[in-house]
Amino acid sequence: MLAIDEGTTSARAALYNERGERVAMHAAPVESRYPKPGWVEQDGNEIWRAQMSAVRAVLENAGEIAACGITNQRETTLVWDRRTGQPIAPAIVWQCRRTTEMCAELARSKDAEWIERKTGLVIDAYFSASKIRWILENVPDARARAGNGEILFGTIDTWLIWNLTRQHVTDVTNASRTMLMDLETGEWDDGLLRVFDIPRAILPEIVPSCGRVGIIEEGLPGGGIPVSGVAGDQQAALAGQACFRAGLSKNTYGTGCFALTHAGGRQPHSTHRLLGTRAAGVDLKAQFAVEGSVFVAGAVIQWLRDELGLIGSAGESESLAMSVP
């Protein structure tokens, strides 16, 4: 089994045998850029190259591969040319705050309560919808091209699947993070599309997390292997920690820190501004989770090392922390 894990700071690939044991793993770094305070961008082509580098490395000594699964940094937004496959702008990373004012205005509007109830999300620049709108309004000709069906939107799962299989799809867990999906039905919502002024033509098809979505094209690393599972990284971690039923919870530490509690088959409604989201399921039945997000966790360790130069390695952060009361 080939696992593809495209994260915020690195693109990883791993091989697992039929007993669930990891037999190979490789990571390639992915650079983020900060063109203005609060802005975070990545190069879509660099993400693709890094991911393929990691896949090639683990496949060097691999035997027969039964299937491939994909997990990814969520909410990060990319728009590309349908014909050439080239991004029309840098990917806007989930951490980016450039649409904060747009979201604050929407949060004051008459639609705010309806949007949050419909999506399970708090109106925030974190999610994909305002990022898509920003690209359509700020990249020359983007809105006209979107209306003509010339460009496509995707979160990073969609971008990888498009390049691997030429299928334009996303799974329900990633779609639930766009602020464009009806959380209960698992479908794109025309009312939300009107609010954000986003044409349906650019959106991928929403598919279940478990099930074949395409075959990796011949000539690519892993050519001929079916892509048979997709989930956003935190929902994948929920499954990875064996939280398959209501009440089971996980907390994971990466670039950010995310706590998720499985909510079963009923849509959750938090009274404490936690998020309602879709959990990955093994069939077509809707599964939900409640999520709390801390955007900056491992990222601050990286910042202390790479930007401030206060530590030489991530490991030093622990000894420094333990040196004070």
Side-chain angles (χ1 to χ4, degrees), residues 77 79 92 98-99 102-103 105-106 127-139 142-143 153 178 180 192-199 202:
T77 297
V79 177
I92 302 179
R98 74 183 65 187
T99 61
M102 181 194 306
C103 292
E105 182 178 343
L106 187 59
F127 305 106
S128 306
S130 65
K131 303 178 193 296
I132 302 170
R133 181 172 174 179
W134 189 94
I135 291 172
L136 295 182
E137 291 179 349
N138 288 276
V139 175
R143 184 163 292 285
F153 151 74
T178 61
L180 297 174
L192 293 168
L193 293 174
R194 282 193 297 272
V195 167
F196 286 98
D197 196 16
I198 294 171
I202 71 170

Side-chain angles (χ1 to χ4, degrees), residues 47-65:
I47 290 172
W48 169 244
R49 288 192 296 268
Q51 191 62 73
M52 287 303 95
S53 172
V55 170
R56 285 191 191 94
V58 299
L59 291 181
E60 281 184 358
N61 300 305
E64 182 179 354
I65 308 295

Side-chain angles (χ1 to χ4, degrees), residues 14-321:
L15 285 179
Y16 293 85
N17 63 23
E18 65 275 14
R19 295 182 297 278
E21 299 164 337
R22 193 175 75 199
V23 295
M25 184 172 180
H26 187 81
V30 175
E31 182 183 357
S32 292
R33 298 170 181 84
Y34 310 91
K36 296 182 180 181
W39 289 34
V40 189
E41 297 179 346
Q42 291 180 337
D43 181 331
N45 286 325
E46 181 185 341
I47 290 172
W48 169 244
R49 288 192 296 268
Q51 191 62 73
M52 287 303 95
S53 172
V55 170
R56 285 191 191 94
V58 299
L59 291 181
E60 281 184 358
N61 300 305
E64 182 179 354
I65 308 295
C68 170
I70 294 176
T71 186
N72 55 284
Q73 52 168 311
R74 304 172 302 171
E75 297 95 16
T76 295
T77 297
L78 192 60
V79 177
W80 64 92
D81 185 294
R82 179 193 294 269
R83 183 180 58 84
T84 67
Q86 289 300 304
I88 68 169
I92 302 179
V93 178
W94 58 272
Q95 301 155 303
C96 186
R97 306 305 296 170
R98 74 183 65 187
T99 61
T100 297
E101 289 186 15
M102 181 194 306
C103 292
E105 182 178 343
L106 187 59
R108 293 190 294 267
S109 75
K110 60 180 176 55
D111 294 318
E113 184 179 349
W114 170 79
I115 292 171
E116 294 188 357
R117 188 173 65 253
K118 174 75 73 169
T119 64
L121 308 174
V122 175
I123 295 173
D124 193 87
Y126 178 29
F127 305 106
S128 306
S130 65
K131 303 178 193 296
I132 302 170
R133 181 172 174 179
W134 189 94
I135 291 172
L136 295 182
E137 291 179 349
N138 288 276
V139 175
D141 300 325
R143 184 163 292 285
R145 297 181 70 196
N148 294 332
E150 296 176 23
I151 58 177
L152 302 174
F153 151 74
T155 42
I156 298 303
D157 60 311
T158 303
W159 171 240
L160 294 178
I161 294 168
W162 168 266
N163 280 289
L164 288 167
T165 72
R166 282 300 181 260
Q167 301 299 311
H168 188 220
V169 301
T170 189
D171 92 297
V172 69
T173 68
N174 281 292
S176 72
R177 314 298 294 186
T178 61
M179 203 166 258
L180 297 174
M181 190 192 88
D182 183 315
L183 185 61
E184 184 173 6
T185 67
E187 297 177 351
W188 301 124
D189 184 84
D190 288 331
L192 293 168
L193 293 174
R194 282 193 297 272
V195 167
F196 286 98
D197 196 16
I198 294 171
R200 183 181 280 266
I202 71 170
L203 300 179
E205 176 189 359
I206 301 175
V207 300
S209 300
C210 188
R212 184 173 295 190
V213 299
I215 305 291
I216 298 177
E217 290 189 333
E218 296 296 342
L220 293 173
I225 299 172
V227 178
S228 301
V230 186
D233 55 7
Q234 300 311 319
Q235 287 94 335
L238 188 69
Q241 298 295 333
C243 300
F244 297 122
R245 56 181 172 82
L248 294 177
S249 304
K250 73 87 186 170
N251 193 44
T252 49
Y253 299 83
T255 302
C257 171
F258 300 87
L260 274 76
T261 298
H262 203 294
R266 181 176 297 180
Q267 180 178 343
H269 296 281
S270 172
T271 57
H272 298 281
R273 293 181 65 78
L274 295 175
L275 307 179
T277 194
R278 280 295 188 104
V282 297
D283 52 31
L284 297 178
K285 295 177 183 176
Q287 299 291 313
F288 299 91
V290 176
E291 176 173 329
S293 308
V294 176
F295 290 174
V296 179
V300 77
I301 304 300
Q302 189 177 35
W303 179 71
L304 291 170
R305 183 191 67 191
D306 297 344
E307 304 299 327
L308 292 190
L310 293 183
I311 56 176
S313 68
E316 286 183 35
S317 63
E318 181 177 15
S319 57
L320 279 175

